[in-house]
Amino acid sequence: MRKYSNEITPSSDGERVEVAGWVHDKRKLGGLVFLIIRDRTGLIQITLPKKFIPPKVFELTRNLSKESVISVVGKVQKEDKAPNGYEIIPDSIEILSRSATPLLLDPTGKVDANLDTRLDNRVMDLRRSEITAIFKIRAAALSQAREFLGNSGFIEVTTPSIISTSSEGGTELFPVSYFEEEAFLAQSPQLYKQMMMGTGLDRVFETAKYFRAEEHDTIWHLNEVSAIDCELAFIKDERDVMKIIEGLVVAMINVVREKCKRELEILNCEIPEPKTPFPMLKYDDALAKLEDCGMKVPFGEDLSSEAEKRLGEVMREEGHDLYFITKYPLEIKPFYTMPDAEEGIYSNAFDMEYKGREIVSGSQRVHEHDLLVERIKEKGLVPENFKSYLSGFKFGMPPHGGFGLGIERFLVLLLGLPNIREAVLFPRDRKRLEP
Ligand code: AMO
């Protein structure tokens, strides 16, 4: 049976095994040929001493290009100098697929390539262990998120990606031609996850796609985003939502710390244990802290990325990488945001920041039909366009709230990635639709 490189050890000495993978490297040394094979778990050395190998097998290596895919059957031999302390002396080699030459990208990483070239040749790029490490970590964090939310009573749902109305405000939509009508790609599952709160399911989550036609072309923005979207009913206020976020983020960070040690080592990344509880900093207090360090942000403005970063430095000096900013002014938040019960210029909306960057935003929502209609109008939107959403609020809607956590931004900050595109297999940005 075929084995992965990490399933064989020096103590397998003498065993016959089958291995398979890509030709990572090929070296000749007098009458010896070394093939280094790369599989999902690491490297394997195949050693071919000309004298002891069937001539037909030895011949096969002559025109074998790097990155071809081969399968090898042979005997394991302990060898201290080989990767993992063993080599394989082959009885047979089968070439499963020959690689063309020259290579468009060097998967060994010895030859540097810029990000664009890497993304253009993403399949080759993903053959590098430091790139796959990111996606193994992503998978571990997502799987933990599902487990955490499942254990907290959330039901996973899937809502439409093709929608008829904007959920987050007017402009950033990708139009889609939908038979005789114009439709859009969903900016978020916002309206649907809220509608679910009227069904009695009470707690739902979705691993969602956000499609955003934002023109930015930065290291921090994507046009197709993955997110964990949650909504929960029967809350007292937004603090019940923040409790879930804290538990979720801690669980995701800890699973990576505990279960992805090898990947973190490959990425040369150390992740400190998250400190709880995450502090809650009111928007006004955030402005005051910024003013103390010479940065004036007028009330009613969202924090620029520069301001967020500065605040992140201040919070880090106080010992916090993870914290909430709460009580945002109502006017800068979407129509579905619940106004603060005491002071209407504020809202029950918050962001969660990680090292001075927003990775989550959420709020308590308006659950009263008439107030919701009023808020839609105040935002210059037309209630008629929200008919089916609003009807969910007419016949019994519990108080509720929720949030969206951007998975790529979370990974950028967790792993210190230099560009958000590193956290997506095939990023969609202002200029990229391929591959
Ligand atoms: P918001 O628009 O703040 O909120 O998005 C939530 C989170 O999604 C991520 N994100 C992005 N990541 C990369 N590139 C982008 N262009 C981008 N846009 C958003 C961020 C952000 O914090 N419906 C609300 C959530 C809610 O209240 O439930 C929403 O979409 O990490």
Side-chain angles (χ1 to χ4, degrees):
M1 208 184 63
R2 187 168 67 84
K3 289 199 166 176
Y4 282 116
S5 63
N6 70 350
E7 293 172 317
I8 307 169
T9 63
S11 65
S12 319
D13 192 83
E15 262 177 48
R16 267 188 105 239
V17 292
E18 182 186 342
V19 294
W22 285 259
V23 179
H24 186 71
D25 206 0
K26 184 172 119 179
R27 268 171 289 161
K28 248 183 115 174
L29 208 82
L32 269 181
V33 169
F34 296 103
L35 297 177
I36 305 296
I37 305 298
R38 186 185 64 245
D39 70 8
R40 192 168 96 170
T41 61
L43 301 175
I44 313 163
Q45 179 170 303
I46 314 293
T47 307
L48 296 101
K50 193 169 181 183
K51 273 195 204 158
F52 303 111
I53 295 288
K56 250 172 59 191
V57 176
F58 196 83
E59 260 325 284
L60 277 178
T61 64
R62 195 181 290 276
N63 294 319
L64 188 59
S65 48
K66 280 193 197 173
E67 295 305 312
S68 294
V69 182
I70 65 171
S71 158
V72 178
V73 177
K75 210 155 115 185
V76 179
Q77 198 162 280
K78 189 168 173 303
E79 170 55 66
D80 294 342
K81 281 184 238 145
N84 304 313
Y86 69 84
E87 60 187 358
I88 291 171
I89 314 294
D91 308 329
S92 69
I93 294 181
E94 191 185 346
I95 299 175
L96 302 174
S97 165
R98 275 186 195 278
S99 168
T101 53
L103 297 175
L104 297 173
L105 194 77
D106 172 21
T108 66
K110 283 184 200 146
V111 183
D112 256 356
N114 67 29
L115 183 60
D116 258 338
T117 311
R118 286 182 36 220
L119 292 175
D120 286 343
N121 300 284
R122 193 58 158 162
V123 171
M124 299 291 277
D125 187 42
L126 279 157
R127 291 183 186 179
R128 287 162 56 197
S129 57
E130 62 271 37
I131 310 298
T132 39
I134 298 170
F135 294 96
K136 288 179 185 168
I137 290 171
R138 181 179 164 124
L142 274 177
S143 147
Q144 180 61 25
R146 284 203 169 91
E147 193 179 321
F148 174 87
L149 292 169
N151 290 340
S152 310
F154 286 82
I155 292 167
E156 184 162 3
V157 295
T158 307
T159 63
S161 289
I162 304 176
I163 56 167
S164 65
T165 349
S166 157
S167 57
E168 305 291 335
T171 52
E172 299 145 1
L173 288 160
F174 285 114
V176 182
S177 135
Y178 192 75
F179 305 108
E180 291 77 30
E181 287 180 63
E182 188 183 47
F184 306 96
L185 292 179
Q187 291 162 305
S188 82
Q190 181 65 38
L191 306 189
Y192 289 99
K193 62 177 185 169
Q194 281 193 261
M195 286 157 81
M196 296 309 290
M197 297 300 96
T199 64
L201 286 178
D202 284 3
R203 291 182 163 214
V204 301
F205 79 98
E206 177 161 2
T207 41
K209 280 292 181 81
Y210 297 175
F211 299 96
R212 304 207 168 172
E214 293 160 353
E215 298 275 346
H216 326 277
D217 188 15
T218 77
I219 58 168
W220 186 239
H221 287 91
L222 291 167
N223 294 102
E224 181 176 349
V225 178
S226 307
I228 300 170
D229 255 74
C230 286
E231 204 68 19
L232 55 151
F234 298 103
I235 59 168
K236 281 208 176 64
D237 56 38
E238 72 277 24
R239 280 172 295 189
D240 289 341
V241 182
M242 292 194 274
K243 252 184 241 150
I244 298 289
I245 298 173
E246 184 178 293
L248 173 66
V249 170
V250 167
M252 287 166 77
I253 295 178
N254 278 339
V255 85
V256 174
R257 294 176 71 239
E258 283 153 24
K259 300 225 171 118
C260 302
K261 290 200 168 92
R262 187 175 139 67
E263 286 73 25
L264 291 175
E265 213 176 279
I266 291 172
L267 293 170
N268 198 11
C269 179
E270 259 180 57
I271 303 173
E273 198 181 339
K275 217 165 131 185
T276 54
F278 300 171
M280 293 177 192
L281 185 67
K282 283 190 177 152
Y283 169 86
D284 279 356
D285 296 334
L287 296 198
K289 274 187 194 289
L290 285 167
E291 196 161 2
D292 282 349
C293 48
M295 201 172 214
K296 177 116 183 91
V297 179
F299 179 88
E301 257 181 33
D302 215 346
L303 301 186
S304 64
S305 50
E306 208 189 324
E308 259 189 313
K309 226 168 121 191
R310 187 71 195 97
L311 186 64
E313 287 160 9
V314 174
M315 292 303 285
R316 170 162 273 193
E317 281 159 25
E318 293 179 18
H320 302 289
D321 269 345
L322 291 149
Y323 51 95
F324 289 101
I325 303 175
T326 65
K327 297 289 165 201
Y328 271 91
L330 184 63
E331 63 178 287
I332 53 172
K333 289 293 170 186
F335 66 82
Y336 51 76
T337 312
M338 180 67 108
D340 179 71
E342 274 147 36
E343 288 184 89
I345 56 163
Y346 295 104
S347 71
N348 291 357
F350 58 84
D351 286 343
M352 201 211 86
E353 305 274 317
Y354 190 10
K355 301 177 187 167
R357 314 277 347 218
E358 173 208 314
I359 62 161
V360 181
S361 72
S363 61
Q364 181 181 4
R365 327 294 193 186
V366 175
H367 63 278
E368 293 153 26
H369 175 270
D370 294 353
L371 178 57
L372 196 52
V373 171
E374 203 181 296
R375 293 288 303 137
I376 289 173
K377 284 187 192 152
E378 273 167 22
K379 286 280 173 188
L381 301 165
V382 185
E384 184 63 20
N385 294 342
F386 294 89
K387 220 162 129 190
S388 50
Y389 166 71
L390 283 169
S391 94
F393 288 74
K394 265 190 193 159
F395 307 101
M397 176 61 89
H400 63 273
F403 65 90
L405 179 154
I407 293 164
E408 288 85 15
R409 287 192 183 173
F410 169 74
L411 287 167
V412 164
L413 295 157
L414 182 75
L415 305 175
L417 304 176
N419 190 314
I420 196 163
R421 291 161 183 79
E422 299 278 3
V424 203
L425 288 175
F426 300 104
R428 289 289 170 265
D429 63 28
R430 182 71 186 81
K431 298 191 192 105
R432 186 172 286 282
L433 250 183
E434 285 285 341

